[in-house]
Structures are given as C-alpha cells and as structure tokens.
Amino acid sequence: MKEAKLWIDGAWESTAETSELKAPYTGEILAKVAKATVADVERAIEGAHKTFQSFKKMPAYERAEILYKVVTIMRERKQELAEILASEAAKPLAAGLGEIDRTIATYQFAAEAAKQSTGETIPMDAAPGVTDRIGYTKRVPLGVVSAITPFNFPFNLVAHKLGPAFAVGNTVVLKPASQTPLSALVMAEIFKDAGLPDGALQIVTGSGGELSDTLVTHPLVKKVTFTGSGAVGLKIKEKIGLRKITLELGSNAAVIVEPSTPIEKIMARCVGGAFGFAGQVCISLQRIYVHASIYEPFTKLFVEETAKLVIGNPLDEKTDVSAMIHPDEVSRIKSWIDDAKRQGAIVATGGEFTDRTCTPTVMTNVKPHMKVVCEETFAPIVSIVPYDTLDEAIALVNESELALNAGIYTNVLTDAMKAAEEIEAGAVIINDIPTFRVDNMPYGGVKMSGYGKEGIKYAVEEMTDLKFITMKLNY
Ligand code: NAP
C-alpha cells in the first residue's frame, strides 16, 4: 500500500503513527498517511526558518523561474494530477482537469508577480523643512508562512498559498486537509524538480486540531494563511496574536434573477454553479432569488435540468456529481433537509441518499431562518425563492452573515449598479453566477466569510511587509 510521508527539509520522513486515507466514492483505502507530531511540526518550522535566511536573498528572476518550471511540469502531468483529485476527493474528472488548469494559471500568475514587486518614491520635500532626503518603499518577505488548506480545491487553494509566498521569498509549512494529502504531497516532488531549495516547502500531514497550536503560534511563524470553515478560522484568529493572518472561509452564495433575464440562456450555468463538485465549493450557488414574474418557468426548467445530472464514479467521464467527501456529511445534509421539510419546505427534485451520495436537490417554499438557507450547506442543495422588488431581493441576500461572492442577472444597467453598490459581499458578479472566480481577481469574503484577500497580487501584499527607507543626502 502507498505510504504518504512527511516532507521536511527536502526528504520524505515516516512517522510512528499513520492514518488510513479512504476514497470517498468507493471507500477503498488509498494510502497510509503519516501523522505528524508536534515535534515534527516544530522541526518543519525551524527548517523553513533556516532556509528563509538564504531564500529571501534569491533573485526575483530565479524565484520566477522555479514557478515557471512548476507550470511546465504540471502541464505534462495534468491527467495524473486530475486522477489524484478523483480518487482522494471524489472530484469528477472533468472538474479535476479544470482545477489543474486553474492551478497552472495560479502558479503562472505567481511567476509573473515574482518579477513585479515594486515600491514608490515618497516626495520627502513635501513635508515642511525637509530638503535633502530621498525616501522610497519596498515590499519585504515575512519569513515562515503557515498554510492550512481545505479538501475541496486541494491543488488550486494550495497554489494560492505557495505561489505568492515563493514569489516574494517566504518559506512555507503546509498542512493540507486530512482527506486530501496526496494532492499536496505530489507538489513537493514537483517543486523539488523545479529547483525549489530544500526547506522552502515543508509539508506536514495529520490532524489540524492537534497540530493547530504549533502551526499558528510558534514564534518563528510570521504569517498564517487559512482556507476552510468559519468555525476553525475563528478559533485560529483568536490565537494568533500580532501575526499577520488571512482567512478564506465559507459562504451561502446568492444570485438575483431579474425579470429581464433570458432564463434559458443562464440555466446550464446556474445548475452547474449549484451542483459542481456536489456543492462542496465555497461559492457554490446556494440561494437563487427569482423575480415572481418568472419564478414558475425558472423553477420548472431548473428542476428539469437538475434531474438530468449523472451521479457516479468520479473517474467516469460521464459523471457530473459524485460522492460527498465523507459519509458523515451525507447524514448531516439529510438532517438539514428533513428539518426544512418539517418546517414546510418542499423538495422539488432530489433529496435521495446512499451512504456516500446525495442527489442534487432543489428546494422551494423555504424560509430565511432554515439552515439550508442561512448556513453554508456545502452540499448539492439549492433553494429557489420568489421576490417582488429588487430592494426586497437585495435585503434577502444581505440577511446572511456569510458574504463571499454574490451575483445578479439583469439587463437594466441602473439595477445592476444598484445591486453592485448595495449588496454586502466580497465581490458582486453581474450577469453571472457568484461561483465565478479567476485566479488573479481579488478574492475574499466580508462579514463572517473571511479576513483579507487572495488573488496573487493581493496575497503578495498580505505576505509582505511594506518597508520604508530614507537617506539624508548631506551630513
Ligand atoms: P475545515 O474542516 O475547516 O478544514 C480546513 C483545514 O483546517 C484542514 O486542513 C483541517 O485539518 C484544518 N483544521 C481543522 N481543525 C483545525 C484547527 N482547530 N486549527 C487549525 N486547523 C484546523 O474545512 P474543510 O471541510 O476542509 O473545507 C470546507 C470549508 O472550507 C467550507 O466552509 C468552505 O466554504 C471553506 N472554503 C473556503 C474557501 C475560500 O476561499 N473562502 C475556499 C474553499 C473552501 P484536518 O483535515 O486534519 O481536520
């Protein structure tokens, strides 16, 4: 059986204890995965700190070259990488290949960013009495970055940490989700082949809860970057003291569909946004607010298209929706649907379960306080809700404490701009679903959905300090 080891200072290390990694769709055991101890994590952090002393001096050109080589290697190994995603995350192959393409783009943006770190000249003589000084700023790396990542985009969300960190000369200790260690560990091999110095990337696998304190409070850790659930994000933020932190958390993304929308043209996009990767996407479309005048035809078509989705093995190219990440998630979501039904919600299609899967589910007659509406479902469930006025729809979107991306479909320019101004969200997507993301856009939630931004340029800012330098020109 495959043994997945820790990656510390450029070498694989076994641990005394291991855990079994099971495929979400088949339940088969894929690997024995090393369980790092606190002492292992401390060594990884110390090694990363040591490497930082030389890595921070590596010229930008060389750091960019390493990232460009990662891009080249990933292009050559695309199919194999997508198959890792299918086996350990149950991500259907087509979606997996899509994630690898995005990951490649993310590393490419990072390679370009490595060469673009600039500062500004400060007009020192603008201050009264200062005539003989120059002043300028530059961005400097922080040191060791602790990166903690979730299971749902285990290549691309790791890339959003490693890419910007290496672009600016930081070193990283990465703790991937316990369900998706293999996608992270293969990147150790790829970065090694691309020429990354040993110790610049350390990967420790094991329980996030058990390793958390060391990962986020070790004195040599200068920045914590976390993507995952709100509950864990909040716990981390309470611990980190004055360290820099970025938190990319969950949401219950909403879209407004105004009466001017040609519904047949947006249907495939909306259904894909609701059920892609079984809804286990932080900007999965969870709430659809449809103007009352088009609610009936919209819902009918949506239900018809949803019923066509194919549920099956992630390695089968025909599969649209595969297993939930863990059987416990199936039980959780079943109880949420049952709870909503008891309070009057209607399952228009779906709501069928096996031990590992949940059929794509469309709910109507829901109320704002139901869990399937106000919390993050992180499952293939979407609610369709009618409204009468745009003000009412915006108020319904804003009622949520979760606010990553939100969308509006409308042909009326003034309504689009009203929504853009009034919706409380990290991003407002006009004429598309909130599930839209490309990897150079600023990305991050407001309210309880996050703190700070990713998107390479923005992550670079969060992973550096702004240093000011001034020189007096005469004694
Ligand atoms: P999770 O349970 O919060 O786990 C995320 C990571 O945190 C894993 O590596 C996990 O390790 C670790 N962890 C668990 N407990 C911890 C603790 N006490 N301290 C420090 N780390 C800890 O999230 P998930 O189920 O993997 O991912 C789903 C969530 O991520 C959803 O809420 C989703 O919306 C969010 N997400 C947000 C974005 C975004 O960009 N905003 C993107 C993707 C996903 P173990 O696996 O070992 O427990």
Side-chain angles (χ1 to χ4, degrees):
M1 179 184 303
K2 188 178 166 71
E3 205 187 327
K5 302 180 182 175
L6 310 181
W7 177 251
I8 299 181
D9 295 338
W12 297 111
E13 286 190 14
S14 301
T15 52
E17 268 194 73
T18 57
S19 59
E20 285 179 347
L21 175 67
K22 289 189 184 159
Y25 184 71
T26 59
E28 105 191 76
I29 297 170
L30 298 171
K32 279 195 169 171
V33 184
K35 277 188 87 175
T37 60
V38 164
D40 293 327
V41 177
E42 284 169 351
R43 265 187 316 111
I45 293 170
E46 284 154 18
H49 175 71
K50 190 161 168 250
T51 303
F52 175 65
Q53 308 316 315
S54 50
F55 190 57
K56 67 181 176 187
K57 294 182 189 149
M58 182 184 273
Y61 171 80
E62 287 176 31
R63 292 198 305 272
E65 281 298 291
I66 291 168
L67 289 159
Y68 280 125
K69 277 190 199 136
V70 166
V71 166
T72 306
I73 299 169
M74 288 192 80
R75 282 193 180 129
E76 286 158 4
R77 298 178 63 174
K78 224 162 121 172
Q79 183 69 21
E80 171 205 345
L81 301 178
E83 282 169 15
I84 295 177
L85 278 174
S87 60
E88 72 173 359
K91 184 165 284 193
L93 262 187
L97 285 164
E99 177 175 346
I100 302 303
D101 279 338
R102 276 188 55 193
T103 308
I104 290 168
T106 302
Y107 282 120
Q108 193 152 19
F109 285 128
E112 288 156 8
K115 295 185 177 185
Q116 284 166 14
S117 180
T118 55
E120 63 179 339
T121 305
I122 309 298
M124 301 300 290
D125 62 348
V130 181
T131 53
D132 58 350
R133 284 175 199 264
I134 55 168
Y136 64 97
T137 63
K138 64 180 288 189
R139 301 218 71 104
V140 294
L142 302 171
V144 180
V145 173
S146 250
I148 304 175
T149 50
F151 74 83
N152 63 340
F153 286 85
F155 279 102
N156 198 32
L157 297 179
V158 163
H160 273 284
K161 317 284 185 210
L162 303 188
F166 297 149
V168 299
N170 291 315
T171 55
V172 179
V173 176
L174 170 67
K175 208 308 276 176
S178 290
Q179 183 57 46
T180 52
L182 305 182
S183 330
L185 292 166
V186 74
M187 289 312 299
E189 208 179 286
I190 291 174
F191 268 104
K192 174 100 177 164
D193 291 348
L196 187 75
D198 292 346
L201 169 61
Q202 316 274 49
I203 306 181
V204 289
T205 50
S207 154
E210 286 167 25
L211 303 176
S212 174
D213 279 357
T214 317
L215 281 165
V216 308
T217 64
H218 191 290
L220 294 177
V221 168
K222 302 300 176 204
K223 155 101 194 175
V224 176
T225 173
F226 171 82
T227 303
S229 59
V232 173
L234 207 53
K235 270 193 217 161
I236 294 176
K237 189 152 188 304
E238 281 164 3
K239 287 185 207 167
I240 52 122
L242 285 178
R243 277 177 197 82
K244 284 181 184 282
I245 186 161
T246 304
L247 298 173
E248 298 287 347
L249 310 175
S251 193
N252 56 355
V255 71
I256 297 172
V257 185
E258 278 279 272
S260 56
T261 311
I263 55 177
E264 63 294 341
K265 284 195 179 165
I266 68 164
M267 201 49 67
R269 190 83 183 129
C270 289
V271 170
F275 302 121
F277 194 36
Q280 299 168 120
V281 177
C282 51
I283 39 177
S284 185
L285 179 54
Q286 185 177 325
R287 300 178 288 152
I288 308 181
Y289 297 107
V290 184
H291 191 268
S293 63
I294 54 169
Y295 175 78
E296 291 299 337
F298 181 96
T299 307
K300 183 168 177 287
L301 196 54
F302 196 97
V303 165
E304 281 167 15
E305 291 303 310
T306 301
K308 290 181 191 163
L309 295 173
V310 177
I311 298 149
N313 191 322
L315 284 162
D316 184 339
E317 280 170 9
K318 290 192 212 78
T319 295
D320 296 305
V321 177
S322 190
M324 304 288 297
I325 198 69
H326 193 277
D328 289 352
E329 284 294 280
V330 179
S331 323
R332 172 182 66 84
I333 219 56
K334 187 173 181 316
S335 77
W336 285 27
I337 293 176
D338 288 344
D339 184 51
K341 277 178 13 189
R342 269 194 300 276
Q343 298 179 68
I346 294 166
V347 173
T349 185
E352 287 153 23
F353 303 90
T354 66
D355 287 350
R356 298 181 183 277
T357 60
C358 168
T359 50
T361 303
V362 179
M363 306 206 67
T364 58
N365 210 33
V366 295
K367 297 287 171 287
H369 66 272
M370 292 177 181
K371 276 185 177 178
V372 290
V373 177
C374 68
E375 293 193 23
E376 178 183 40
T377 56
F378 219 57
I381 302 179
V382 69
S383 293
I384 309 182
V385 179
Y387 69 86
D388 291 317
T389 65
L390 182 56
D391 281 323
E392 182 192 347
I394 292 172
L396 285 164
V397 172
N398 287 344
E399 202 158 309
S400 175
E401 270 308 301
L402 301 169
L404 198 41
N405 287 4
I408 176 166
Y409 283 102
T410 176
N411 275 338
V412 181
L413 187 59
T414 46
D415 286 343
M417 294 319 294
K418 175 184 169 72
E421 290 300 316
E422 294 182 14
I423 286 178
E424 297 157 2
V428 176
I429 316 287
I430 299 168
N431 285 339
D432 203 352
I433 47 174
T435 323
F436 172 80
R437 181 185 184 187
V438 288
D439 295 284
N440 58 342
M441 74 189 219
Y443 184 76
V446 296
K447 299 189 187 173
M448 298 302 282
S449 281
Y451 187 85
K453 297 281 180 221
E454 287 193 340
I456 299 301
K457 176 181 161 197
Y458 309 92
V460 156
E461 277 174 22
E462 301 214 356
M463 286 198 187
T464 49
D465 268 328
L466 184 73
K467 190 172 199 177
F468 173 66
I469 297 160
T470 184
M471 186 165 100
K472 193 165 182 297
L473 297 171
N474 290 299
Y475 289 104

